[in-house]
Amino acid sequence: MQEPRNAPDSIGARRSAATIVRSTPWRRDVSRADSPEKLVDEKPEAGWLAYWGPPIVAGLVIGTLLVGAWRFLGIGRTAVDEIAAEWKWGEFEANDKLRQQVVGLGREAREDLLATYLAAPCDYADYKLWLGTILATEPFFDTSSLVEAVRTGDACDQRTSAVILAEILQDADPELVLPGILAWLEDVEDDQHDAPIRALGTMSPLIGAWHGRARAALLELATRRGSDPEPLEDNFRAEDRAAAVNALGDFLPDDGVLALLTTVMTDDDDHPSPRIVAIRQMSQNGAFDDLETWKTACESATWQVRQTAAENLVRSPDPAFSSVLEKLHTDAESVVRIGAIETETHRRRPTMLPVAGQLLEDHDEWVRFYAMLAVAAFGEEPGAALRNGMLLRVFRDSDDEIDVEGAVLALTRVLGKTPPGFREIDVHRHKEEVDAAAIKGFMGDAGGRTEAAAEVQKMLGADAVYPVAERKKALQTMLEHADLENQARAKLLLEELGD
């Protein structure tokens, strides 16, 4: 969300200064004229500026001095103003401490708190909502002032007060709060709609005209504007659109909403944030009917989109999606490879096994870790002996603790019991963890590790072997890998293995 554009210490100044400088309008003193006739005949020498200029300048000077006195000398500031001036956007812990200070002032500070809330500008929405929420909760419990602001306040106060009431009361009257909430949602020039979207969620299910109006507002907010790609950094509009896309999930399987989410998730010129949220909403609502839509997302030029699509296809049992997930096992980004491996493992689709040799040599230790778990999960598939040999090599030779952890977990599943060198209490299968001290002890005992590997070999059988020639073959293939780090690793390992 966009950081507010006004400094906190300028907010209270608007209220106090406006109160202080309000005075009787300037008038010309006609009592000094020699006669009514002379006054009528007299013509101003320099027009409007000469007539009104001096009083305006004087007023500005006086106003500036008063605002300066308020700000620097504390004249006119209440205890609430002093505390609220320290509020900072995004500083949640610090702001919570400030809230506690306001609360500590007791109920006697209610009027001051209300005045500070009403004076806060609308383009400083998070600050205004923070003040109003304090006002509505213990010890002030002043929801009646917020109701009054909804009914008679300006547009800014109506919006924020309606949002606060919807979230605080839980059973707020829709006729009271929804006009303000929806007015905020329909303001497409604003880029901070997460608050009204949250409030809208508390009012569900919407009925009648409210439903249609909310749907239309969210569709408008979620739609990308302009043809140029949006920048990745500091894009508050894209984050705002993502919030709207997320809210639209509640309207599925509405055809119009489905069409919008499909457009967002497949638009490669769009910012990743709304695309990622669109994919998640499609997955959570079981929208898997269109294979091409998901294929487009899995082939996106944006790796975050590919990763999200790979991970969220876990909810679909349709084997047709394996045709796109299989390609992601050798994706250029390691997190995409991990997502595809985990998804296919949970879907019980062994599409990663043909490239298991590459995956267990990956430069990313977590790709290797999840690949070993996948090898164990499909232990009944053809070629299991060769893959068990891969696990045994890692168990026996790797100097990476994550490698050893993955091998121990995989072998525990393959063998049906904890492998030699580890106790049953060291291995937590459901958490996919192995006690760190046990791993260090195992790796630090060279002789014991060799003996344990020999025992595992006997348990797996003599055919559980990973020949060096087979390993070299996998590494040779990795020289063409889409991930340049895998290319470099394969080259280095081939040099170590020699001819």
Side-chain angles (χ1 to χ4, degrees):
M1 181 178 292
Q2 185 172 6
E3 185 167 355
R5 292 164 284 279
N6 296 327
D9 61 359
S10 69
I11 297 169
R14 298 186 180 195
R15 175 172 62 83
S16 297
T19 302
I20 294 170
V21 301
R22 189 180 297 119
S23 60
T24 304
W26 288 89
R27 296 191 299 267
R28 187 179 180 188
D29 187 355
V30 298
S31 64
R32 297 185 181 179
D34 294 335
S35 66
E37 292 79 7
K38 185 174 182 180
L39 180 61
V40 172
D41 294 338
E42 185 179 70
K43 295 181 180 180
E45 295 180 355
W48 182 90
L49 185 59
Y51 185 81
W52 291 105
I56 290 175
V57 172
L60 290 174
V61 170
I62 293 172
T64 301
L65 291 174
L66 289 172
V67 170
W70 180 90
R71 180 173 298 176
F72 298 110
L73 301 179
I75 298 174
R77 290 171 70 115
T78 66
V80 174
D81 290 329
E82 294 287 351
I83 296 169
E86 299 300 319
W87 187 93
K88 298 283 191 306
W89 183 83
E91 300 289 336
F92 301 108
E93 291 186 10
N95 292 338
D96 189 59
K97 292 180 180 178
L98 295 176
R99 180 191 66 80
Q100 294 171 21
Q101 292 180 38
V102 175
V103 168
L105 296 175
R107 300 185 66 181
E108 297 78 9
R110 185 194 66 82
E111 297 254 356
D112 291 337
L113 177 58
L114 174 61
T116 304
Y117 165 70
L118 294 175
C122 217
D123 60 353
Y124 215 19
D126 285 350
Y127 171 76
K128 193 174 182 72
L129 290 167
W130 177 76
L131 288 167
T133 302
I134 299 174
L135 181 67
T137 52
E138 189 178 6
F140 305 105
F141 296 114
D142 187 6
T143 55
S144 60
S145 291
L146 295 177
V147 171
E148 183 66 19
V150 170
R151 289 174 174 163
T152 64
D154 62 19
C156 173
D157 291 336
Q158 289 175 353
R159 292 182 183 186
T160 54
S161 299
V163 164
I164 295 166
L165 287 171
E167 294 194 304
I168 295 297
L169 297 181
Q170 296 299 313
D171 58 349
D173 179 4
E175 299 295 327
L176 173 69
V177 300
L178 280 176
I181 294 171
L182 291 173
W184 195 342
L185 285 179
E186 290 164 346
D187 181 1
V188 296
E189 297 305 315
D190 193 359
D191 62 3
Q192 301 184 67
H193 292 94
D194 55 325
I197 288 173
R198 284 196 315 271
L200 192 68
T202 68
M203 304 301 296
S204 296
L206 299 176
I207 60 174
W210 297 124
H211 180 277
R213 187 174 167 187
R215 173 187 174 278
L218 290 170
L219 284 172
E220 180 68 18
L221 287 178
T223 301
R224 184 164 78 95
R225 296 164 183 78
S227 58
D228 295 332
E230 297 185 353
L232 294 180
E233 301 298 329
D234 299 327
N235 194 304
F236 305 114
R237 178 67 68 185
E239 297 296 333
D240 196 49
R241 287 180 50 228
V245 169
N246 191 59
L248 282 170
D250 292 338
F251 291 80
L252 288 172
D254 178 279
D255 288 343
V257 173
L258 182 63
L260 187 280
L261 296 188
T262 298
T263 297
V264 172
M265 71 181 281
T266 57
D267 183 357
D268 237 10
D269 287 333
D270 203 350
H271 190 280
S273 293
R275 299 185 68 192
I276 288 170
V277 175
I279 291 169
R280 289 173 179 165
Q281 285 300 327
M282 295 279 277
S283 174
Q284 291 169 14
N285 287 277
F288 297 112
D289 293 339
D290 190 349
L291 174 62
E292 287 303 311
T293 294
W294 285 92
K295 180 180 178 183
T296 300
C298 286
E299 294 176 349
S300 171
T302 305
W303 66 263
Q304 296 96 328
V305 173
R306 299 197 304 275
Q307 176 193 5
T308 306
E311 292 174 350
N312 279 270
L313 279 172
V314 72
R315 292 187 176 89
S316 173
D318 189 348
F321 288 109
S322 289
S323 63
V324 295
L325 287 166
E326 185 174 10
K327 298 176 183 178
L328 299 183
H329 296 319
T330 54
D331 191 87
E333 294 290 336
S334 60
V335 290
V336 179
R337 299 195 289 275
I338 292 171
I341 293 168
E342 285 201 277
T343 289
E344 285 291 75
T345 301
H346 286 290
R347 280 165 36 91
R348 303 300 302 161
R349 303 287 298 173
T351 53
M352 77 294 297
L353 295 185
V355 291
Q358 295 183 50
L359 293 172
L360 266 68
E361 302 286 359
D362 202 278
H363 77 86
D364 189 317
E365 60 188 7
W366 291 108
V367 173
R368 304 195 298 268
F369 178 89
Y370 287 106
M372 284 186 274
L373 298 188
V375 165
F378 299 108
E380 302 301 320
E381 295 291 322
L386 179 66
R387 294 190 296 272
N388 287 341
M390 296 177 187
L391 298 177
L392 180 58
R393 181 194 68 78
V394 176
F395 181 78
R396 182 187 61 233
D397 300 335
S398 178
D399 58 1
D400 185 291
E401 292 182 9
I402 299 299
D403 276 354
V404 174
E405 183 175 35
V408 170
L409 289 167
L411 288 171
T412 297
R413 179 162 185 172
V414 171
L415 298 172
K417 61 180 181 180
T418 304
F422 292 85
R423 302 170 300 170
E424 188 174 342
I425 61 173
D426 294 331
V427 182
H428 312 289
R429 292 180 57 182
H430 296 296
K431 296 172 63 177
E432 296 183 348
E433 292 179 358
V434 178
D435 185 76
I439 293 174
K440 290 182 181 296
F442 175 75
M443 296 177 69
D445 181 5
R449 185 174 184 179
T450 300
E451 291 179 8
E455 288 295 318
V456 172
Q457 179 74 77
K458 292 178 183 179
M459 298 167 73
L460 291 173
D463 58 345
V465 177
Y466 187 35
V468 173
E470 290 292 329
R471 188 181 180 196
K472 286 183 176 180
K473 189 184 299 183
L475 291 170
Q476 288 285 352
T477 305
M478 287 178 68
L479 292 174
E480 307 268 328
H481 201 282
D483 189 329
L484 297 180
E485 290 189 68
N486 270 343
Q487 292 184 22
R489 178 177 169 85
K491 183 178 179 181
L492 179 63
L493 291 174
L494 284 169
E495 291 173 354
E496 291 178 358
L497 291 173
D499 294 330

